[in-house]
Amino acid sequence: MKKIRIPENILEKIAEKEMIEKNVLSGKISEGRVVVPLNRKRQGLEKPCAIGEGLSVKVNANIGGSPDISDPAAELEKLRTSVKYGTDTVMDLTIGKYWKRILSAVVRESPVPVGTVPVYGAVCLGGSVADLKSDDFIEVISTQAEMGVDFMTVHAGVTRSVSKIYDKSKRVGGMVSRGGKIIYRWMKENNMENPLYERFDEILDIASQYNITISLGDGLRPGCLADASDDAQYGELRVLGELSRRCRQAGVQVMIEGPGHVPLNLIEENVRMEKELCGGAPFYVLGPLTTDIGAGYDHITGAIGGAFAAWKGADFLCYLTPAEHLHLPDNEDVAMGVIASKIAAHSGDVAKKIPGALERNEKMSKARRDLDWELMQRNAMAPAAVERERKRYPERKDRACTMCGEYCALLD
Amino acid sequence: MKKIRIPENILEKIAEKEMIEKNVLSGKISEGRVVVPLNRKRQGLEKPCAIGEGLSVKVNANIGGSPDISDPAAELEKLRTSVKYGTDTVMDLTIGKYWKRILSAVVRESPVPVGTVPVYGAVCLGGSVADLKSDDFIEVISTQAEMGVDFMTVHAGVTRSVSKIYDKSKRVGGMVSRGGKIIYRWMKENNMENPLYERFDEILDIASQYNITISLGDGLRPGCLADASDDAQYGELRVLGELSRRCRQAGVQVMIEGPGHVPLNLIEENVRMEKELCGGAPFYVLGPLTTDIGAGYDHITGAIGGAFAAWKGADFLCYLTPAEHLHLPDNEDVAMGVIASKIAAHSGDVAKKIPGALERNEKMSKARRDLDWELMQRNAMAPAAVERERKRYPERKDRACTMCGEYCALLD
C-alpha cells in the first residue's frame, strides 16, 4: 500500500481550522477516511480543505459554461461569488466553447480546491461522443492533471455488467448523470467496456503522480424518488467499492459520489451502504433532494436532504441551486446554492457536535439575546444578507426589530 | 367526555382530499389525534383542512401588522399570496394599529382557516401590559370567537410554577415567545397567576360554544440550540399535557405548539415527548430551525428541521420566512416562506408514504424524463416559479435545457 503524502504546512493549517490533532488527521488520511484535494502542481491554494470523517462537512459549488451558455467572465464571477459565500471547493463543469480557457482561469484564480469531470473535457475535443477514442478519455485526465486540477470525477462505475442491470431496471427517471450517460452511450455505440474502468490503473498512475483525489462518479444515481436505492444504483456502488480499494492500494486519495433524489427515510441507508462498501471513504452527495417537485426551489429540497445526510455521515455536499432542473445557474443562483448548502452542512455539524459548531451558534444567540446587531451580522452564515436587510429595515431605537417592536420578547 | 361535532360535508371533503375513509377521520377527531379548525360562525371557508396523525402535513403562514408597520391592504395582499402558494391556514398576528380591521378583513377574505393569538389582541386594547385586567384576556377570546376565528393560540402553559423553573434556568437565549413574554411580564408585575391558566375553564366554554380549536402556545420554546429540550421547555410541555386532557374532556379540539430552535439530533425526541405527554394531540411546530446562524435564510433552516419533524410525526408546520429574526416579512418573504414550508411538509409526507404523495412525485419525474415542460410546470410545487424561469431561459428545440444542452442525459 503506497503512502499518501500531504505537505506538513497544509496539514497543520487544516488541523488548526478543524480543531483536531494533526496526527489524528494524518491517520485518517492514511486510512482513506479523509481526503485533502491538492494537486502537486497547484499554485495559490490559499484555502486548502480536508473532507471526511470527524471533520466539518464541506460544500462544493458547480460552475462552468454549457454548450448553450459559455462566457469565461461570467464563470469567473461565479467563482468569486461562491468563494465569497464560503464554498469549500468548486468544480468547473464546462462543456462547450472556451472550456480550456475557463478551466485555466478557474485554477489560476481559485483559492479553494478545483475539481472537474474529465469526460466533459473529452467531449469538448470535438466530433460525436461515439467517435471518441479510448485514449481521449485518458489523455484529458493527463492534460487536466498538468493544469493543476485537484480532484476529478471519474465515472468508472458504469461498467458493462452494471449497464445490464440498468437496462433491465424499469426506472421511472432513467439515467440522469450527464457524465454517466456520455460513457454509457459511448459503450453502447462502440460495443466496448467503459475505458475509465478498463484503464483504471493508468488513471491511478496519473492520480498518484499529481496527487489528484479521485471522486468516483455515480452515473446511476437516482434521478427521482421512485428510483432511489434500486439495483442499478447499488450495483454501481459495489463497483465503486472495489475501485476505492484499488485507489487506496495505489496511494491515491478517493471519495465516492452519491445521490441525487432520495426520500428522507432512505438517506441513512444510503450513507451506511457507501461507508460499508467503500471502506469508509468520504461520501460526496448531490443534495440529496427529498422530493422531485421542488423545481425553482431545489436549493431548499437539496438542503433538507443534505442536512440529514451530513448528520448521518455524508462528508461533502454538492450544492444545488434554484436553477436545478431548469437552466444553467446564474450568479445569483450560485450565491443561493452555496448559502443553502452551507446551512445544510452546518446543521449536520451541529447535530454531530463537530468541534466549534455549537460555539458559533451560541455566539450568535447571545448577540441576539442582547439585540447586538453588529455582532449578529458578524456571526451570521451570510453577513452580507443581514447587512442588506438591516439597511432595508433599520432596527428601532430600543434595538428591537420591526417584527414585534416594543413587544419584543428580548427587551427587558 | 363531550363529543366534537364537525359538519358531515366538511368531513367528506377532507376525507376525499386526504384519501382516507371518513369514519377513520371521525375516529381520529374523537380521539383528539386530528383537529379540524372551523369556527361555527365562520363563513366562506372554501378550503377546510384537517391536521394530525396519518394526514398530509399542513402549513401555516403568519401574517399581520406590527406596532411599527401596519397596513391593512398589505396584510390582505400577504393573505392572497400565502393562499396562492398553497398555505393550509393563516394566522393574523397583528399587534398595533388597525388590528380589528385587519382581522375582520382576513376572516372575511380567507378561504383557509384563520388563527390568532388573543394575547396580542389584549395588548391592542391600549395602556401598558401590566395594566391589563385578567378579564381583558378572556374578553378578547370572546370577541375573536364571535368574529369567526377558527383557532387560537392560548399561552396557558407559562404558569407561576413553570416561570420559576425558567427563572432558575441559565438560558442562553432567554424567552423568545412574544405572547409568552407578555403573559410572563403581566404575572411578574401583578404578582398573579397566568389568567389563561387560572381561567382555562372559561376559555373552554367559549371554545366549545364556537368549536374553536385551541392551540396551546409554547411560551418557553427554545430560542436557540443551546436551550433546546431544557427543563423550562419540558416543564411547560407537561402543563400543556394536562391542559390538553381538559380540552378533550370538554369536547374542545386541541393542538400543541412546539419549538423553535432544535438541532437535528433532538427533533425526534421533541416529537415523541409531545405525543406522549399530550395524548397524541397534533403537534404544531415553528420550524424547527436546525441552526441559529441562518438569518436572512431562515426559511431554509426552518425547512430542514420542519421536514425532519414532519417525517417523525409533527403534523403542522408554521412557516418561517427569510425575514425571521430581522424584520416583519413583506409579501415576497411570505411567498418564500410558504414555498419552503410546503417543500418541507411534502418531504415529510413522502418519507411517511402519505397517500398520494409519492404519486405526485412520480408524475413529475415522468414529465421530466420525457422533457415535457408543460407537465413539469403543472406538477411542480410552485408552477409560477417554473413558468418564470422558463421565460427567462426557454428550453432548446430538442426540449433539453441550457444546463447540459445537447449532452442532456435525458435525450435518447
Side-chain angles (χ1 to χ4, degrees):
Chain A
M1 195 124 92
K2 277 177 72 178
K3 201 166 154 46
I4 293 156
R5 274 190 303 269
I6 308 292
E8 283 298 306
N9 62 329
I10 300 279
L11 287 181
E12 277 161 19
K13 201 168 176 173
I14 292 170
E16 195 189 331
K17 201 173 149 199
E18 300 278 353
M19 302 185 202
I20 61 165
E21 296 294 325
K22 201 181 77 177
N23 60 348
V24 174
L25 180 62
S26 307
K28 284 184 186 284
I29 294 168
S30 303
E31 292 165 19
R33 293 176 178 274
V34 166
V35 297
V36 178
L38 168 56
N39 185 319
R40 279 192 235 292
K41 288 262 172 176
R42 183 70 195 292
Q43 300 291 321
L45 185 64
E46 288 159 33
K47 297 179 176 183
C49 76
I51 300 161
E53 192 183 84
L55 307 179
S56 62
V57 173
K58 304 303 184 298
V59 165
N60 173 71
N62 289 337
I63 60 171
S66 75
D68 298 322
I69 303 173
S70 211
D71 173 354
E75 296 313 321
L76 288 175
E77 187 61 28
K78 291 182 198 170
L79 166 65
R80 284 174 216 126
T81 297
S82 61
V83 170
K84 174 184 163 190
Y85 284 105
T87 197
D88 297 291
T89 68
V90 292
M91 290 189 79
D92 174 9
L93 304 187
T94 302
I95 290 192
K97 273 193 296 188
Y98 315 124
W99 77 272
K100 219 164 172 173
R101 191 166 132 198
I102 294 174
L103 181 56
S104 301
V106 167
V107 172
R108 198 170 51 239
E109 279 209 24
S110 175
V112 299
V114 173
T116 56
V117 180
V119 164
Y120 299 171
V123 301
C124 292
L125 297 174
S128 78
V129 167
D131 291 340
L132 286 169
K133 302 295 162 217
S134 171
D135 283 345
D136 292 335
F137 293 104
I138 307 300
E139 189 64 31
V140 165
I141 293 174
S142 221
T143 304
Q144 296 190 346
E146 187 62 27
M147 288 170 80
V149 169
D150 302 298
F151 63 106
M152 292 183 195
T153 295
V154 177
H155 291 96
V158 189
T159 61
R160 288 230 250 196
S161 74
V162 169
S163 297
K164 275 179 202 154
I165 307 174
Y166 168 68
D167 291 338
K168 270 188 270 182
S169 76
K170 292 200 167 57
R171 277 197 164 184
V172 171
M175 196 188 297
V176 299
S177 156
R178 180 165 64 168
K181 197 64 174 277
I182 290 169
I183 288 288
Y184 176 82
R185 284 176 184 144
W186 187 91
M187 290 162 63
K188 288 275 168 187
E189 297 191 32
N190 291 287
N191 195 25
M192 285 169 74
E193 179 56 286
N194 181 341
L196 302 172
Y197 179 75
E198 208 164 44
R199 300 175 70 173
F200 198 66
D201 283 335
E202 291 170 64
I203 296 171
L204 288 177
D205 285 344
I206 301 167
S208 170
Q209 187 189 338
Y210 291 89
N211 184 38
I212 285 159
T213 298
I214 288 185
S215 184
L216 289 168
D218 57 336
L220 284 159
R221 69 166 177 269
C224 65
L225 301 184
D227 298 338
S229 300
D230 74 353
D231 290 346
Q233 185 199 333
Y234 282 151
E236 183 186 35
L237 185 59
R238 281 188 189 86
V239 177
L240 303 187
E242 292 165 35
L243 295 172
S244 70
R245 280 189 287 283
R246 286 170 64 188
C247 288
R248 276 189 290 274
Q249 285 291 335
V252 168
Q253 299 193 89
V254 63
M255 54 190 172
I256 311 293
E257 296 185 12
H261 293 237
V262 186
L264 274 168
N265 56 310
L266 292 178
I267 291 175
E268 188 168 5
E269 171 197 293
N270 269 268
V271 177
R272 197 184 61 237
M273 290 285 283
E274 185 276 341
K275 293 285 176 184
E276 273 176 28
L277 292 171
C278 304
F283 196 25
Y284 176 22
V285 293
L286 177 58
L289 295 92
T290 54
T291 156
D292 303 329
I293 64 173
Y297 303 92
D298 277 326
H299 59 308
I300 298 176
T301 61
I304 291 170
F308 187 55
W311 172 29
K312 292 301 176 181
D315 307 286
F316 192 20
L317 306 182
C318 185
Y319 84 171
L320 288 155
T321 77
E324 187 70 23
H325 300 117
L326 295 172
H327 55 76
L328 191 75
D330 65 17
N331 197 50
E332 184 57 28
D333 293 319
V334 166
M336 284 305 304
V338 172
I339 291 166
S341 290
K342 292 272 294 178
I343 287 173
H346 187 67
S347 297
D349 289 348
V350 157
K352 284 192 288 194
K353 302 191 173 71
I354 291 292
L358 280 164
E359 289 73 3
R360 189 170 168 193
N361 284 273
E362 200 163 316
K363 271 187 202 165
M364 179 65 161
S365 300
K366 284 179 177 164
R368 183 167 286 148
R369 179 196 58 198
D370 298 337
L371 294 169
D372 182 336
W373 291 90
E374 294 300 322
L375 213 52
M376 277 190 255
Q377 187 173 314
R378 214 178 314 148
N379 281 296
M381 179 64 84
V386 177
E387 191 182 5
R388 184 189 66 225
E389 296 305 306
R390 285 180 66 201
K391 277 184 186 148
R392 284 179 63 207
Y393 295 85
E395 53 268 20
R396 292 158 45 101
K397 272 199 185 134
D398 57 13
R399 301 182 79 72
C401 84
T402 56
M403 172 77 99
C404 304
E406 64 191 286
Y407 298 102
C408 173
L410 298 168
L411 286 174
D412 270 318
Chain B
M1 196 127 87
K2 277 178 70 178
K3 201 164 153 49
I4 293 157
R5 274 189 304 267
I6 309 291
E8 283 297 307
N9 62 330
I10 300 279
L11 286 180
E12 278 160 19
K13 200 167 177 174
I14 292 171
E16 194 188 332
K17 199 171 151 202
E18 299 280 352
M19 303 186 201
I20 63 166
E21 297 294 327
K22 201 182 77 175
N23 61 347
V24 174
L25 179 64
S26 305
K28 283 183 188 283
I29 294 169
S30 302
E31 291 166 18
R33 293 177 178 274
V34 166
V35 297
V36 177
L38 168 57
N39 186 320
R40 280 192 234 291
K41 289 261 172 177
R42 183 69 194 290
Q43 300 291 323
L45 185 64
E46 290 160 31
K47 298 180 176 183
C49 76
I51 300 162
E53 193 182 82
L55 307 179
S56 63
V57 173
K58 304 303 182 298
V59 166
N60 173 71
N62 288 338
I63 60 171
S66 75
D68 298 323
I69 303 173
S70 212
D71 172 356
E75 296 312 321
L76 287 176
E77 187 62 28
K78 291 182 198 170
L79 166 65
R80 286 175 212 126
T81 297
S82 60
V83 170
K84 173 184 164 190
Y85 285 104
T87 197
D88 298 291
T89 67
V90 293
M91 289 188 78
D92 173 8
L93 304 187
T94 303
I95 290 192
K97 272 194 296 189
Y98 313 124
W99 77 271
K100 218 163 174 176
R101 192 167 130 197
I102 293 174
L103 181 57
S104 301
V106 167
V107 172
R108 196 169 52 239
E109 280 209 23
S110 176
V112 299
V114 173
T116 55
V117 180
V119 164
Y120 299 171
V123 302
C124 291
L125 297 175
S128 76
V129 167
D131 291 340
L132 286 169
K133 302 292 160 220
S134 171
D135 283 345
D136 293 333
F137 293 103
I138 306 302
E139 189 63 32
V140 166
I141 293 173
S142 220
T143 304
Q144 296 190 346
E146 188 61 30
M147 289 170 79
V149 169
D150 302 297
F151 63 107
M152 293 184 195
T153 295
V154 177
H155 290 96
V158 188
T159 60
R160 286 230 250 198
S161 74
V162 169
S163 297
K164 273 180 201 152
I165 307 174
Y166 167 69
D167 291 338
K168 269 189 269 182
S169 75
K170 292 200 167 56
R171 280 200 160 180
V172 171
M175 195 189 296
V176 299
S177 155
R178 181 166 60 170
K181 197 66 175 275
I182 289 169
I183 288 290
Y184 176 83
R185 284 177 184 142
W186 186 91
M187 290 161 64
K188 289 275 168 186
E189 297 190 35
N190 291 288
N191 195 25
M192 284 169 75
E193 180 56 284
N194 181 341
L196 302 173
Y197 179 77
E198 208 165 45
R199 302 174 68 174
F200 198 66
D201 283 333
E202 291 170 64
I203 296 171
L204 288 176
D205 286 343
I206 302 167
S208 170
Q209 187 190 339
Y210 291 88
N211 185 37
I212 286 159
T213 299
I214 288 185
S215 185
L216 288 168
D218 56 335
L220 284 159
R221 68 167 178 270
C224 65
L225 302 183
D227 298 339
S229 298
D230 73 353
D231 289 346
Q233 184 198 332
Y234 283 150
E236 184 186 33
L237 185 59
R238 281 191 189 87
V239 177
L240 302 188
E242 292 166 34
L243 295 172
S244 69
R245 278 189 289 281
R246 286 170 62 187
C247 289
R248 277 189 290 275
Q249 286 292 335
V252 168
Q253 299 192 92
V254 63
M255 55 189 171
I256 312 293
E257 296 185 13
H261 293 238
V262 186
L264 275 168
N265 58 306
L266 292 178
I267 290 175
E268 188 169 3
E269 171 197 293
N270 268 269
V271 177
R272 196 184 61 238
M273 289 286 283
E274 186 275 342
K275 293 285 176 183
E276 274 177 27
L277 293 172
C278 304
F283 195 25
Y284 176 22
V285 293
L286 177 59
L289 295 92
T290 54
T291 156
D292 303 329
I293 65 174
Y297 303 92
D298 276 326
H299 60 309
I300 300 177
T301 61
I304 292 171
F308 187 56
W311 172 29
K312 293 300 175 183
D315 306 286
F316 192 21
L317 307 182
C318 186
Y319 85 171
L320 288 155
T321 77
E324 186 70 23
H325 299 118
L326 294 171
H327 54 77
L328 192 75
D330 65 19
N331 198 49
E332 182 57 27
D333 293 320
V334 166
M336 285 302 306
V338 172
I339 292 165
S341 289
K342 292 272 294 178
I343 287 173
H346 187 67
S347 298
D349 289 347
V350 157
K352 282 190 290 194
K353 304 191 172 71
I354 291 293
L358 280 164
E359 289 73 3
R360 188 170 169 193
N361 284 272
E362 201 162 315
K363 273 189 201 164
M364 179 67 163
S365 300
K366 284 179 176 164
R368 183 169 285 146
R369 179 196 59 198
D370 300 335
L371 294 168
D372 183 337
W373 291 91
E374 295 300 322
L375 215 51
M376 276 189 259
Q377 187 174 313
R378 212 175 320 145
N379 282 295
M381 179 65 84
V386 177
E387 189 182 7
R388 184 189 65 223
E389 296 304 305
R390 286 179 67 200
K391 279 187 185 148
R392 284 180 63 207
Y393 294 85
E395 51 268 22
R396 291 158 45 102
K397 272 197 185 137
D398 57 13
R399 301 182 79 71
C401 84
T402 56
M403 172 77 100
C404 304
E406 63 191 289
Y407 299 102
C408 173
L410 298 169
L411 288 174
D412 270 317

